[in-house]
Amino acid sequence: MKAVTDADFEAAVLKSDKPVLVDFWAEWCGPCRMVAPILEEISAEHGDKLEIVKMNIDENPLKPGQLGITGIPTLQVYKDGEIVKQIVGAKPKAALLRELADFI
């Protein structure tokens, strides 16, 4: 999964031709570390339909601040430049797949 930054968020996420899930995370966040391998599995299984990218909120404070991200992990799905789904907190793979069913 590739990392996105404040600088390339618009090009990588908002202008993507397929849905993009952004994982807002930080190194110090235990639940973020729990959900990361699950997202890697989902990316490997469904990457043709849904792109998954990561944004470190400590290294990129601007965009998460603008988006009102107050807790992590927060997962946001963007389609055609708009937020179409938000998932807050770590969830097991089955729950994430249910939440993402419309996009995969």
Side-chain angles (χ1 to χ4, degrees), residues 3 6 17 23 34 51 55 75 99:
D6 285 335
D17 56 356
D23 173 20
M34 288 171 31
E51 184 171 1
M55 178 174 261
L75 310 175
E99 294 266 7

Side-chain angles (χ1 to χ4, degrees), residues 4-11 55 60 62:
V4 294
T5 64
D6 285 335
D8 67 4
F9 188 88
E10 184 175 344
M55 178 174 261
N60 301 281
L62 187 64

Side-chain angles (χ1 to χ4, degrees), residues 42-94:
I42 293 172
S43 180
E45 294 163 7
H46 302 284
D48 56 329
K49 296 183 211 87
L50 176 70
E51 184 171 1
I52 300 178
V53 298
K54 300 173 74 66
M55 178 174 261
N56 184 317
I57 64 161
D58 289 335
E59 296 170 2
N60 301 281
L62 187 64
K63 195 46 108 171
Q66 290 172 346
L67 295 169
I69 304 296
T70 57
I72 53 173
T74 293
L75 310 175
Q76 290 185 335
V77 179
Y78 288 81
K79 187 173 181 185
D80 300 323
E82 300 289 325
I83 298 172
V84 292
K85 183 81 154 175
Q86 178 165 294
I87 306 163
V88 179
K91 303 220 182 317
K93 183 177 180 182

